[in-house]
């Protein structure tokens, strides 16, 4: 049995605002939709919920479920 952390969005990306910034709980890398992701060639303006299913943290390869909503 594997244990899965579901971040502060409880694994339901549909609950996220399109402009929500999320942070990897492993390496603290931030995904900001305004910037996109150069490593994965995700264009600016792409919400976290719209990232491809195979997307993972570009810094530590953590699963997308390892990301938490940033409350700045």
């Amino acid at each position: 049995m594997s244990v899965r952390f579901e971040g502060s969005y409880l694994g339901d990306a549909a609950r996220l605002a399109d402009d929500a910034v999320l942070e990897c709980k492993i390496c603290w890398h931030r995904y900001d939709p305004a910037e996109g992701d150069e490593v994965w060639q995700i264009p600016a303006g792409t919400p976290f919920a719209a990232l491809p299913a195979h997307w993972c943290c570009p810094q530590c390869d953590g699963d997308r479920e390892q990301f938490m909503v940033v409350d700045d």
Side-chain angles (χ1 to χ4, degrees), residues 2 11 13 28 32 38-39 43 46 56-57:
S2 66
W28 310 115
D32 184 344
E38 288 184 16
V39 174
T46 303
C56 61
C57 180

Side-chain angles (χ1 to χ4, degrees), residues 4-66:
R4 193 171 104 181
F5 177 79
E6 293 183 337
S8 55
Y9 65 97
L10 302 175
D12 182 4
R15 298 176 53 167
L16 296 171
D18 284 350
D19 63 349
V21 175
L22 285 91
E23 185 173 74
C24 178
K25 76 169 189 116
I26 298 169
C27 71
W28 310 115
H29 172 78
R30 287 188 174 198
Y31 177 78
D32 184 344
E35 297 174 10
D37 181 352
E38 288 184 16
V39 174
W40 283 93
Q41 299 178 347
I42 305 295
T46 303
F48 190 83
L51 292 173
H54 65 274
W55 185 89
C56 61
C57 180
Q59 200 163 298
C60 74
D61 290 329
D63 292 332
R64 61 190 299 138
E65 289 84 10
Q66 300 297 317

